Structures are given as C-alpha cells and as structure tokens.
C-alpha cells in the first residue's frame, strides 16, 4: 500500500474510513509498517521481531485510573467483586484468582483496589511480561521496567491520590520532565524525571542501566530507590 500523508488523509471523506469506533492502545496494524500486531508476530515466532531492541514498561497500578473514575466500580462490594471475577474467569477459576488478591491486602477501598490490581495484571502487566519473554526467546534485546514511584505532583488532589497510586500514564510527566498543570515538581519528582530521562536516553544509545530480560525475567524497578525484581507472571 502506498503511504498516505497527512494532506491526503484529511481529504478522504470520513465515511470512507469505516464505522469502527472505540479506543486502541496498541500499534496500528496498517499493512504497510506492520502486517501483524507485535503480539501476533511474537506468537507465531516471527524472527523479524528480534531485529528490534525493545524496552517494555508498565506502571504499578495501571488500572486504578479506570476503576476509581468509574462510580460503580469505585464503590463495588465484595460480592460485586466476586461477581466481576466470575464474569471474567468463570466460576471454576474465580476462587483461585480471588485468593491471589485478598481484601486484607488493601486498605482504602479493598474490593475496588483488588479489582484494579486484577485488571492491571490481566490487561496490561502480564501481557507485557509474556511479550518480553517471547521476544527474548527469539533473540531480541529486551529490557523490562516497572514504574513504581507514586507521584508527589500528580493529576489528583491529595485526598484522592492514594486511591490511584502509580496510575496509567503517570510516568509521562517524568519522561518529558514537564509537571501536570495542577502542580509543580517536588525535589523527589525532579529526581525521578532525571532518572527516567537518563534511563531512556542511555537505552536509546545502546547502554542499558540494567541486565536484559531473559530466562531470569529480570525487571528494573524505577522508584526513589531503584531495584530489580523477578516477573511474577509465569
């Protein structure tokens, strides 16, 4: 397919682009740059993936942004949590899943926090871990990180911030060292921004700050005290 620039694209009637609606959070499979999604390429053992160095990252509390901005989910009861888990995993698997996220492990709004943790793992974190492992197995240079710094200057007021933790896209202000319009970076925020930019910059020049993701499933933790941990997804 011939590449379509911005000027040509804006001249195309909207109806010609189809009626598909909804958000997509992955690379666009356009048949030009990508003939398959990266995950599909990994699943079929497409070795061309190995030609591209990868840095894959996730945030500690990815789905709190979506759960705690949804009134019904934010106020869900333990029974509603169980119902949601049954709906996602089926009645046979639900008890084992719930056992991995006991309500005793959460303090603010336990059912909603547990649901956010489950969704974070199922929707984002574990798929990224699996893709990292698959790419490494094909010979790609893969580095995996987990952003676990709770913003001191974030989108939410202090009373709400603890519910969101290290929410989806909370790393972006640190990547670009530009605080949200709601506040100014603290000294800790500034230090994290410098750390993040250093990590990304060195990696882009082929000098990673931590070992590659391989059979040991090593993940670099970005926080005030950087650390390394092993992927819990197997």
């Amino acid at each position: 397919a011939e590449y379509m620039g911005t000027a040509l694209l804006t001249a195309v009637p909207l109806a010609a682009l189809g009626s598909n609606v909804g958000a997509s959070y992955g690379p666009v499979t356009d048949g030009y740059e990508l003939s398959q999604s990266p995950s599909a390429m990994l699943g079929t053992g497409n070795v061309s993936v190995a030609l591209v160095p990868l840095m894959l990252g996730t945030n500690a509390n990815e789905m709190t942004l979506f759960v705690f901005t949804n009134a019904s989910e934010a106020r869900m009861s333990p029974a509603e949590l169980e119902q949601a888990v049954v709906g996602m995993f089926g009645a046979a698997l639900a008890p084992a899943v719930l056992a991995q996220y006991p309500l005793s492990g959460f303090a603010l709004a336990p059912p909603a926090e547990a649901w956010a943790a489950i969704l974070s793992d199922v929707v984002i974190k574990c798929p990224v871990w699996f893709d990292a492992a698959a790419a490494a197995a094909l010979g790609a240079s893969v580095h995996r990180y987990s952003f676990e710094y709770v913003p001191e200057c974030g989108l939410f007021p202090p009373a709400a911030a603890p519910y969101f933790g290290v929410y989806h896209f909370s790393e972006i202000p640190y990547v670009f060292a530009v605080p949200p319009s709601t506040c100014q970076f603290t000294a800790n925020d500034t230090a994290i921004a410098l750390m993040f930019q250093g990590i990304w910059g060195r990696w882009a020049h082929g000098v990673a700050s931590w070992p590659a993701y391989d059979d040991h499933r090593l993940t670099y933790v970005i926080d005030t005290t950087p650390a390394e941990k092993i992927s819990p997804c197997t």
Side-chain angles (χ1 to χ4, degrees), residues 28-217:
V28 175
T29 304
D30 59 0
Y32 182 77
E33 297 291 345
L34 283 178
S35 59
Q36 293 178 291
S37 72
S39 292
M41 294 172 71
L42 290 169
T44 57
N46 189 327
V47 294
S48 64
V49 176
L51 302 176
V52 183
L54 298 174
M55 181 168 64
L56 303 175
T58 54
N59 293 358
N61 311 114
E62 291 279 4
M63 297 300 287
T64 53
L65 179 68
F66 306 97
V67 170
F68 283 105
T69 55
N70 180 306
S72 60
E73 291 188 344
R75 295 178 174 85
M76 71 189 330
S77 66
E80 289 170 328
L81 169 64
E82 182 175 352
Q83 183 179 17
V85 173
V86 169
M88 177 173 282
F89 295 96
L93 290 177
V97 173
L98 288 166
Q100 296 297 313
Y101 304 86
L103 297 185
S104 60
F106 306 96
L108 298 174
E113 288 178 276
W115 181 232
I118 292 168
L119 291 177
S120 295
D121 285 346
V122 171
V123 176
I124 298 180
K125 295 166 75 172
C126 285
V128 168
W129 268 308
F130 296 150
D131 281 354
L138 291 174
S141 172
V142 182
H143 289 83
R144 172 82 175 86
Y145 74 81
S146 176
F147 184 58
E148 301 188 7
Y149 173 74
V150 179
E152 293 181 1
C153 170
L155 292 180
F156 304 101
Y163 291 88
F164 292 91
V166 191
Y167 51 89
H168 186 66
F169 82 79
S170 62
E171 82 283 9
I172 299 301
Y174 301 102
V175 173
F176 295 101
V178 177
S181 60
T182 54
C183 52
Q184 293 297 317
F185 276 166
T186 66
N188 284 336
D189 289 326
T190 300
I192 289 294
L194 291 173
M195 181 191 305
F196 224 143
Q197 290 189 321
I199 288 169
W200 280 39
R202 287 189 294 273
W203 179 84
H205 286 85
V207 183
S209 301
W210 69 101
Y213 190 99
D214 53 20
D215 291 341
H216 297 97
R217 308 196 312 277

